[in-house]
Short mmCIF file of all heavy atoms in Angstrom, two decimals:
data_model
loop_
_atom_site.label_atom_id
_atom_site.label_comp_id
_atom_site.label_asym_id
_atom_site.label_seq_id
_atom_site.Cartn_x
_atom_site.Cartn_y
_atom_site.Cartn_z
N TYR A 32 48.55 -3.28 23.72
CA TYR A 32 48.28 -2.03 24.42
C TYR A 32 47.80 -2.45 25.82
O TYR A 32 46.94 -3.33 25.94
CB TYR A 32 47.18 -1.24 23.74
CG TYR A 32 47.54 -0.63 22.41
CD1 TYR A 32 48.59 -1.10 21.63
CD2 TYR A 32 46.80 0.43 21.90
CE1 TYR A 32 48.89 -0.53 20.41
CE2 TYR A 32 47.10 1.01 20.68
CZ TYR A 32 48.14 0.53 19.93
OH TYR A 32 48.43 1.10 18.72
N PHE A 34 46.61 -1.41 29.94
CA PHE A 34 45.94 -0.38 30.72
C PHE A 34 45.75 -0.86 32.16
O PHE A 34 45.58 -2.05 32.41
CB PHE A 34 44.55 -0.08 30.14
CG PHE A 34 44.53 0.23 28.68
CD1 PHE A 34 44.49 -0.80 27.74
CD2 PHE A 34 44.56 1.54 28.23
CE1 PHE A 34 44.48 -0.52 26.38
CE2 PHE A 34 44.55 1.82 26.87
CZ PHE A 34 44.50 0.80 25.95
N TYR A 36 43.02 0.37 35.21
CA TYR A 36 41.90 1.20 35.62
C TYR A 36 41.65 0.96 37.11
O TYR A 36 41.90 -0.13 37.63
CB TYR A 36 40.63 0.84 34.86
CG TYR A 36 40.60 1.21 33.41
CD1 TYR A 36 41.14 0.37 32.43
CD2 TYR A 36 40.00 2.40 32.99
CE1 TYR A 36 41.09 0.71 31.09
CE2 TYR A 36 39.94 2.74 31.64
CZ TYR A 36 40.48 1.89 30.70
OH TYR A 36 40.42 2.23 29.37
N GLN A 38 38.54 1.36 40.14
CA GLN A 38 37.11 1.54 40.36
C GLN A 38 36.83 1.65 41.86
O GLN A 38 37.02 0.69 42.59
CB GLN A 38 36.33 0.37 39.77
CG GLN A 38 34.82 0.54 39.89
CD GLN A 38 34.06 -0.65 39.32
OE1 GLN A 38 34.52 -1.79 39.35
NE2 GLN A 38 32.88 -0.39 38.77
N GLY A 41 30.80 1.78 43.73
CA GLY A 41 29.68 2.49 43.15
C GLY A 41 30.04 3.46 42.05
O GLY A 41 29.18 4.22 41.58
N GLN A 42 31.29 3.40 41.61
CA GLN A 42 31.75 4.34 40.59
C GLN A 42 32.11 3.62 39.30
O GLN A 42 32.17 2.39 39.25
CB GLN A 42 32.98 5.10 41.09
CG GLN A 42 32.78 5.84 42.40
CD GLN A 42 31.75 6.94 42.27
OE1 GLN A 42 31.77 7.73 41.33
NE2 GLN A 42 30.82 7.00 43.21
N GLY A 43 32.35 4.41 38.27
CA GLY A 43 32.85 3.85 37.03
C GLY A 43 34.33 3.60 37.09
O GLY A 43 34.97 3.78 38.14
N LEU A 44 34.91 3.18 35.99
CA LEU A 44 36.34 2.91 35.91
C LEU A 44 37.08 4.17 35.50
O LEU A 44 36.72 4.83 34.53
CB LEU A 44 36.63 1.81 34.91
CG LEU A 44 36.44 0.38 35.38
CD1 LEU A 44 34.99 0.03 35.55
CD2 LEU A 44 37.11 -0.60 34.42
N LEU A 46 40.81 5.67 34.35
CA LEU A 46 42.10 5.26 33.80
C LEU A 46 43.23 5.75 34.70
O LEU A 46 43.31 6.94 35.00
CB LEU A 46 42.28 5.85 32.40
CG LEU A 46 43.59 5.52 31.71
CD1 LEU A 46 43.62 4.03 31.32
CD2 LEU A 46 43.79 6.39 30.47
N LYS A 49 48.51 3.92 30.96
CA LYS A 49 48.45 3.08 29.78
C LYS A 49 49.83 2.95 29.17
O LYS A 49 50.67 3.84 29.31
CB LYS A 49 47.47 3.65 28.77
CG LYS A 49 47.84 5.04 28.27
CD LYS A 49 46.74 5.61 27.39
CE LYS A 49 47.08 7.04 26.95
NZ LYS A 49 45.98 7.66 26.16
N PHE A 51 51.45 2.05 25.36
CA PHE A 51 51.27 1.74 23.95
C PHE A 51 52.61 1.32 23.33
O PHE A 51 52.67 0.38 22.54
CB PHE A 51 50.71 2.95 23.19
CG PHE A 51 49.24 3.18 23.41
CD1 PHE A 51 48.50 2.45 24.32
CD2 PHE A 51 48.58 4.18 22.71
CE1 PHE A 51 47.14 2.67 24.53
CE2 PHE A 51 47.22 4.42 22.90
CZ PHE A 51 46.51 3.67 23.80
N PHE A 90 41.70 -2.92 37.83
CA PHE A 90 41.55 -3.78 36.67
C PHE A 90 42.68 -3.52 35.67
O PHE A 90 42.95 -2.38 35.31
CB PHE A 90 40.21 -3.53 35.97
CG PHE A 90 39.02 -3.97 36.77
CD1 PHE A 90 38.37 -3.07 37.61
CD2 PHE A 90 38.55 -5.26 36.68
CE1 PHE A 90 37.27 -3.47 38.35
CE2 PHE A 90 37.45 -5.67 37.43
CZ PHE A 90 36.81 -4.77 38.26
N GLY A 96 45.05 -2.97 19.99
CA GLY A 96 45.09 -1.71 19.28
C GLY A 96 43.80 -1.45 18.53
O GLY A 96 43.75 -0.58 17.68
N THR A 97 42.79 -2.22 18.87
CA THR A 97 41.47 -2.01 18.29
C THR A 97 40.48 -1.73 19.41
O THR A 97 40.88 -1.54 20.56
CB THR A 97 40.99 -3.26 17.52
OG1 THR A 97 40.73 -4.29 18.48
CG2 THR A 97 42.06 -3.73 16.55
N TYR A 98 39.20 -1.80 19.07
CA TYR A 98 38.17 -1.55 20.09
C TYR A 98 38.14 -2.64 21.14
O TYR A 98 37.61 -2.47 22.22
CB TYR A 98 36.80 -1.51 19.40
CG TYR A 98 36.35 -2.87 18.93
CD1 TYR A 98 35.62 -3.71 19.75
CD2 TYR A 98 36.72 -3.35 17.67
CE1 TYR A 98 35.23 -4.98 19.34
CE2 TYR A 98 36.34 -4.61 17.26
CZ TYR A 98 35.60 -5.42 18.09
OH TYR A 98 35.23 -6.67 17.68
N TYR A 100 38.90 -4.70 24.05
CA TYR A 100 39.64 -4.75 25.29
C TYR A 100 39.31 -6.05 26.00
O TYR A 100 38.14 -6.45 26.07
CB TYR A 100 39.24 -3.59 26.22
CG TYR A 100 39.87 -2.25 25.92
CD1 TYR A 100 40.16 -1.84 24.64
CD2 TYR A 100 40.16 -1.38 26.97
CE1 TYR A 100 40.72 -0.59 24.40
CE2 TYR A 100 40.72 -0.13 26.74
CZ TYR A 100 40.99 0.26 25.46
OH TYR A 100 41.55 1.49 25.22
N PHE A 102 39.56 -7.57 29.77
CA PHE A 102 39.81 -7.14 31.14
C PHE A 102 40.14 -8.34 32.02
O PHE A 102 39.60 -9.43 31.86
CB PHE A 102 38.58 -6.44 31.71
CG PHE A 102 38.37 -5.05 31.19
CD1 PHE A 102 37.72 -4.84 29.99
CD2 PHE A 102 38.85 -3.96 31.90
CE1 PHE A 102 37.54 -3.56 29.50
CE2 PHE A 102 38.68 -2.67 31.41
CZ PHE A 102 38.02 -2.47 30.21
N GLY A 103 41.00 -8.10 33.01
CA GLY A 103 41.18 -9.07 34.06
C GLY A 103 39.99 -9.03 35.01
O GLY A 103 39.11 -8.17 34.89
N THR A 104 39.98 -9.96 35.94
CA THR A 104 38.85 -10.07 36.86
C THR A 104 38.96 -9.14 38.06
O THR A 104 38.06 -9.09 38.88
CB THR A 104 38.70 -11.51 37.34
OG1 THR A 104 39.95 -11.96 37.86
CG2 THR A 104 38.27 -12.42 36.20
N ARG R 9 20.51 5.40 36.70
CA ARG R 9 21.67 4.91 37.43
C ARG R 9 21.34 3.62 38.19
O ARG R 9 22.21 2.79 38.42
CB ARG R 9 22.17 5.97 38.41
CG ARG R 9 22.73 7.22 37.74
CD ARG R 9 24.04 6.93 37.00
NE ARG R 9 24.98 6.15 37.75
CZ ARG R 9 25.79 6.63 38.69
NH1 ARG R 9 25.79 7.93 38.94
NH2 ARG R 9 26.62 5.82 39.34
N TYR R 33 30.51 1.97 23.47
CA TYR R 33 30.48 0.57 23.88
C TYR R 33 29.53 0.37 25.05
O TYR R 33 29.34 1.26 25.87
CB TYR R 33 31.88 0.13 24.35
CG TYR R 33 33.00 0.48 23.40
CD1 TYR R 33 33.63 1.72 23.47
CD2 TYR R 33 33.41 -0.42 22.42
CE1 TYR R 33 34.66 2.04 22.59
CE2 TYR R 33 34.44 -0.10 21.54
CZ TYR R 33 35.05 1.14 21.64
OH TYR R 33 36.07 1.46 20.77
N TYR R 35 29.26 -2.47 28.15
CA TYR R 35 29.84 -3.58 28.86
C TYR R 35 28.91 -3.96 30.02
O TYR R 35 28.16 -3.13 30.53
CB TYR R 35 31.18 -3.19 29.50
CG TYR R 35 32.33 -2.99 28.56
CD1 TYR R 35 32.57 -1.75 27.96
CD2 TYR R 35 33.22 -4.03 28.30
CE1 TYR R 35 33.66 -1.56 27.12
CE2 TYR R 35 34.32 -3.85 27.47
CZ TYR R 35 34.52 -2.61 26.89
OH TYR R 35 35.61 -2.43 26.06
N GLN R 37 29.40 -5.79 33.96
CA GLN R 37 30.40 -6.15 34.96
C GLN R 37 29.78 -7.09 35.96
O GLN R 37 28.76 -6.77 36.59
CB GLN R 37 30.93 -4.91 35.69
CG GLN R 37 32.02 -5.25 36.69
CD GLN R 37 32.53 -4.03 37.44
OE1 GLN R 37 31.79 -3.10 37.72
NE2 GLN R 37 33.82 -4.03 37.76
N GLY R 40 33.92 -11.82 39.34
CA GLY R 40 34.66 -12.95 38.79
C GLY R 40 34.82 -12.93 37.29
O GLY R 40 35.47 -13.82 36.72
N GLY R 42 35.17 -9.64 35.49
CA GLY R 42 35.65 -8.36 34.99
C GLY R 42 34.58 -7.70 34.15
O GLY R 42 33.38 -7.81 34.44
N LEU R 43 34.99 -7.02 33.10
CA LEU R 43 34.05 -6.38 32.19
C LEU R 43 34.01 -7.16 30.89
O LEU R 43 35.05 -7.55 30.36
CB LEU R 43 34.47 -4.94 31.90
CG LEU R 43 34.02 -3.90 32.92
CD1 LEU R 43 34.93 -3.94 34.13
CD2 LEU R 43 34.02 -2.52 32.30
N LEU R 45 32.26 -7.17 26.90
CA LEU R 45 31.65 -6.32 25.90
C LEU R 45 30.34 -6.94 25.40
O LEU R 45 30.31 -8.10 24.99
CB LEU R 45 32.61 -6.12 24.73
CG LEU R 45 32.16 -5.20 23.61
CD1 LEU R 45 32.00 -3.77 24.13
CD2 LEU R 45 33.15 -5.24 22.46
N TYR R 48 28.93 -2.79 20.50
CA TYR R 48 29.62 -1.52 20.30
C TYR R 48 29.09 -0.85 19.04
O TYR R 48 28.42 -1.47 18.22
CB TYR R 48 31.13 -1.70 20.25
CG TYR R 48 31.65 -2.41 19.02
CD1 TYR R 48 32.19 -1.70 17.96
CD2 TYR R 48 31.62 -3.80 18.94
CE1 TYR R 48 32.66 -2.35 16.84
CE2 TYR R 48 32.10 -4.45 17.83
CZ TYR R 48 32.62 -3.73 16.78
OH TYR R 48 33.10 -4.38 15.67
N PHE R 90 28.05 -0.69 32.04
CA PHE R 90 28.88 0.48 31.80
C PHE R 90 28.90 0.82 30.32
O PHE R 90 29.06 -0.06 29.47
CB PHE R 90 30.32 0.25 32.26
CG PHE R 90 30.47 0.24 33.75
CD1 PHE R 90 30.53 -0.95 34.45
CD2 PHE R 90 30.54 1.43 34.46
CE1 PHE R 90 30.66 -0.96 35.83
CE2 PHE R 90 30.68 1.43 35.84
CZ PHE R 90 30.73 0.24 36.52
N SER R 99 39.16 3.56 16.89
CA SER R 99 38.89 2.54 17.91
C SER R 99 40.12 2.22 18.73
O SER R 99 40.02 1.67 19.82
CB SER R 99 38.40 1.25 17.24
OG SER R 99 39.42 0.68 16.45
N SER R 100 41.29 2.58 18.23
CA SER R 100 42.52 2.30 18.97
C SER R 100 42.74 3.24 20.12
O SER R 100 43.63 3.04 20.94
CB SER R 100 43.72 2.37 18.02
OG SER R 100 43.78 3.67 17.44
N GLU R 101 41.96 4.29 20.18
CA GLU R 101 42.15 5.25 21.25
C GLU R 101 41.68 4.67 22.59
O GLU R 101 40.89 3.73 22.65
CB GLU R 101 41.36 6.53 20.94
CG GLU R 101 41.75 7.20 19.64
CD GLU R 101 43.11 7.87 19.73
OE1 GLU R 101 43.65 7.98 20.84
OE2 GLU R 101 43.63 8.26 18.67
N THR R 102 42.15 5.28 23.63
CA THR R 102 41.85 4.82 24.98
C THR R 102 40.36 4.91 25.27
O THR R 102 39.69 5.87 24.89
CB THR R 102 42.62 5.68 25.99
OG1 THR R 102 44.01 5.58 25.70
CG2 THR R 102 42.35 5.23 27.42
N GLN R 103 39.84 3.90 25.97
CA GLN R 103 38.44 3.90 26.36
C GLN R 103 38.24 4.54 27.72
O GLN R 103 39.03 4.33 28.64
CB GLN R 103 37.90 2.47 26.37
CG GLN R 103 37.79 1.88 24.97
CD GLN R 103 37.13 0.51 24.95
OE1 GLN R 103 36.45 0.10 25.89
NE2 GLN R 103 37.33 -0.20 23.85
N TYR R 104 37.18 5.32 27.80
CA TYR R 104 36.78 5.97 29.04
C TYR R 104 35.35 5.57 29.36
O TYR R 104 34.53 5.41 28.44
CB TYR R 104 36.91 7.50 28.92
CG TYR R 104 38.34 7.94 28.79
CD1 TYR R 104 38.96 8.03 27.55
CD2 TYR R 104 39.10 8.25 29.93
CE1 TYR R 104 40.29 8.42 27.43
CE2 TYR R 104 40.42 8.64 29.82
CZ TYR R 104 41.01 8.71 28.56
OH TYR R 104 42.33 9.09 28.46
N PHE R 105 35.08 5.46 30.66
CA PHE R 105 33.84 4.84 31.09
C PHE R 105 32.89 5.81 31.77
O PHE R 105 33.32 6.76 32.44
CB PHE R 105 34.15 3.69 32.05
CG PHE R 105 34.78 2.52 31.36
CD1 PHE R 105 36.13 2.51 31.06
CD2 PHE R 105 34.01 1.44 30.97
CE1 PHE R 105 36.70 1.44 30.39
CE2 PHE R 105 34.57 0.35 30.32
CZ PHE R 105 35.91 0.36 30.01
N GLY R 106 31.60 5.52 31.61
CA GLY R 106 30.58 6.24 32.33
C GLY R 106 30.45 5.73 33.76
O GLY R 106 31.15 4.80 34.16
N PRO R 107 29.51 6.29 34.53
CA PRO R 107 29.38 5.95 35.94
C PRO R 107 28.69 4.63 36.22
O PRO R 107 28.72 4.13 37.33
CB PRO R 107 28.57 7.11 36.51
CG PRO R 107 27.75 7.59 35.35
CD PRO R 107 28.63 7.40 34.15
#
Side-chain angles (χ1 to χ4, degrees):
Chain A
Y32 290 21
F34 308 84
Y36 289 85
Q38 184 181 31
Q42 304 296 313
L44 279 72
L46 179 70
K49 61 186 177 184
F51 283 6
F90 291 93
T97 69
Y98 71 90
Y100 280 34
F102 285 84
T104 52
Chain R
R9 294 292 314 279
Y33 310 88
Y35 289 88
Q37 182 181 34
L43 276 79
L45 183 65
Y48 70 100
F90 287 99
S99 66
S100 59
E101 302 288 349
T102 302
Q103 291 186 18
Y104 293 88
F105 290 80

